[in-house]
Amino acid sequence: MSSVAPAFLGGRELALAPVSGATGRALAQVVVAWPWLLFFGILALTWVPTSAAMVLVFGIGLPMLAIGLLAARWFVGAELARLGAQTGVQVPRPADRRRGGPGWWSAFLSPLRDGRAWAATGYAALSSLTAPLAFAVVVALGGAGLAAILSPVYGTGPVLEEYLGWSRGLLWIVLVVAGLGAMWLAALAAQGATLLQLRMARGMLGRPRADLRVAVADEARERAEVRAAHVEQTRTLVVGAADDERRRIERDLHDGAQQRLVALGVELGAAKRRTATDPEAAAEALDRAHREVQETLAELRDLVRGIHPAVLTDRGLDAALSALASRSTVPVTVRTPDDDTLRACGSSAQAAAYFVVAEALTNVAKHASATSASVDVACADGRLRLVVHDDGRGGAAAAPGSGLDGLRSRVAALDGTFDLASPVGAGTTLTVELPCAS
């Protein structure tokens, strides 16, 4: 109703019904429907009774009925296409239900068992009454209103003035107001007739509501199956990525911090033993132990930063990306939106963006042979978009087990998109989009 007959909803559309775009479309539909539906309605009202009468008389009535119902199937498509083009409302077409047994005769007579073809015949017959009536009402009201509005141009005639006893000016005002009212009623009649025609088409020509519910249920089930397959796949990727990350942390702790702590214990033991006999050697051992403590703390900070950087929680994504850029051996330009825009994105999306940039800049420093890189962050339409570009040698690929493959898994787990463009000799561009609600 909001698109075909908005005047019936009241308010501004009701007041402006004569100049509404919906009225123009409705008027065009009424004008076209009058000869179109009158022709097919008369044809249905003559063809079906004639065919039925000739079933017993000449025996050719059944083939005539079958031909008429085949034409009704074509009429359904043509009528729904006409209504869709003139009103902008698409009525779902009914499913093709041609059924028949073996043999050409059964197939030929199958339209006789098609309930929608019979409904289309009834629609044409009923519309042969409603369409001309709607046309007559709209034209009568519109013509009368237009004639009354134009009365000041051609005059009202002295007889009417003398009969009513009104002055010419007052009579013209009354006629113009009445004409505007008639035009307003004509607009309502056009919109109402079009709404009636659409509802008749939906009920008699369109797909039954039961079929629509089945189609909607099938579509929802397909979406759910696709979503379940995606969730299962991303869950597998996330579990694998988490296991790889756990092994990396274990390896870093064992090969790095643990070995340094063992060396620190050795240095402190040596310093303790030499304190009384060789104070200078003990002091050197304490200096080495102090350096070992500083290096161990730095390594632990790097390890913790790889799990979740404190600066991301404390100061936000902008500061975290700037810290990554400052530690990169390749000059990096970072462009981000304002803090309020970034705060609209979820913490998971920001953390994923941070690790994407960290891995990408690590690859740039190690493998790209680049002279510069850039990081661009944007938030729009509920998504965080991240683009990392370098001017290096290109040729990067997210091979299974690589760091980029792990990032792809992390992004997929958040329902994001991961695109890597790295032509040889033309640099690398990594584009990631993440839902801000992640």
Side-chain angles (χ1 to χ4, degrees):
M1 182 177 290
S2 61
S3 60
V4 176
F8 289 88
L9 298 176
R12 182 173 180 271
E13 292 292 341
L14 176 61
L16 299 179
V19 295
S20 170
T23 299
R25 294 189 297 270
L27 181 61
Q29 189 280 137
V30 169
V31 171
V32 172
W34 167 55
W36 166 263
L37 294 177
L38 182 62
F39 170 77
F40 283 102
I42 294 175
L43 185 62
L45 288 171
T46 55
W47 187 273
V48 173
T50 302
S51 301
M54 297 180 71
V55 170
L56 298 178
V57 178
F58 298 105
I60 61 173
L62 288 179
M64 288 182 62
L65 274 176
I67 293 173
L69 293 172
L70 283 175
R73 287 175 174 174
W74 172 86
F75 170 74
V76 169
E79 174 65 1
L80 294 183
R82 180 190 75 85
L83 289 173
Q86 291 197 290
T87 66
V89 178
Q90 300 297 326
V91 178
R93 288 196 58 175
D96 190 1
R97 296 184 177 180
R98 298 183 184 182
R99 293 189 295 267
W104 66 271
W105 181 253
S106 178
F108 182 73
L109 295 180
S110 64
L112 298 176
R113 296 185 293 271
D114 189 350
R116 305 308 293 179
W118 284 105
T121 305
Y123 171 86
L126 181 61
S127 297
S128 67
L129 302 176
T130 59
L133 179 61
F135 177 79
V137 171
V138 171
V139 170
L141 289 173
L146 187 62
I149 292 173
L150 296 178
S151 61
V153 177
Y154 58 80
T156 58
V159 175
L160 186 60
E161 296 176 16
E162 182 179 355
Y163 177 76
L164 295 176
W166 294 350
S167 66
R168 178 170 299 182
L170 177 60
L171 183 60
W172 282 357
I173 292 174
V174 172
L175 287 175
V176 169
V177 171
L180 291 174
M183 296 292 287
W184 183 76
L185 290 176
L188 291 181
Q191 292 189 19
T194 301
L195 179 63
L196 174 63
Q197 200 68 49
L198 267 173
R199 291 190 170 177
M200 287 170 54
R202 187 182 298 275
M204 302 179 73
L205 304 183
R207 185 179 301 182
R209 293 187 181 274
D211 291 354
L212 286 175
R213 286 193 293 268
V214 171
V216 170
D218 290 341
E219 184 180 355
R221 186 178 66 253
E222 291 177 1
R223 288 199 303 267
E225 290 175 353
V226 171
R227 176 64 179 168
H230 175 72
V231 169
E232 183 176 356
Q233 180 183 10
T234 55
R235 183 183 62 183
T236 302
L237 294 175
V238 169
V239 170
D243 192 51
D244 293 340
E245 186 70 9
R246 179 183 57 79
R247 284 196 294 268
R248 182 190 69 81
I249 294 172
E250 290 176 351
R251 185 176 60 252
D252 290 346
L253 287 174
H254 180 273
D255 297 342
Q258 182 176 342
Q259 298 300 322
R260 290 188 180 279
L261 289 174
V262 171
L264 176 61
V266 172
E267 293 292 343
L268 289 175
K272 182 179 179 180
R273 289 191 300 271
R274 296 176 183 176
T275 301
T277 58
D278 192 351
E280 293 183 1
E284 292 178 1
L286 288 174
D287 288 339
R288 288 193 297 271
H290 183 258
R291 288 194 299 271
E292 199 71 37
V293 168
Q294 291 178 328
E295 293 175 0
T296 302
L297 290 175
E299 189 166 322
L300 287 174
R301 278 195 298 270
D302 292 338
L303 180 62
V304 171
R305 189 181 296 117
I307 299 173
H308 189 83
V311 65
L312 181 61
T313 302
D314 297 338
R315 299 174 55 193
L317 183 61
D318 186 10
L321 296 183
S322 299
L324 285 176
S326 65
R327 292 196 299 270
S328 175
T329 57
V330 177
V332 180
T333 302
V334 178
R335 289 180 285 268
T336 61
D338 56 86
D339 292 339
D340 292 336
T341 303
L342 286 175
R343 274 193 292 269
C345 293
S347 58
S348 298
Q350 294 190 48
Y354 173 85
F355 287 111
V356 167
V357 174
E359 182 68 26
L361 294 183
T362 299
N363 290 340
V364 169
K366 289 183 178 179
H367 310 296
S369 301
T371 59
S372 65
S374 63
V375 177
D376 292 278
V377 181
C379 294
D381 300 327
R383 297 184 70 84
L384 186 150
R385 190 170 190 269
L386 178 69
V387 180
V388 183
H389 175 75
D390 68 74
D391 59 358
R393 60 188 179 187
S402 65
L404 288 175
D405 185 58
L407 289 180
R408 192 208 305 270
S409 301
R410 183 191 290 266
V411 171
L414 298 175
D415 285 336
T417 60
F418 182 97
D419 181 68
L420 179 65
S422 185
V424 177
T428 299
T429 301
L430 176 62
T431 304
V432 170
E433 286 193 7
L434 297 162
C436 284
S438 298

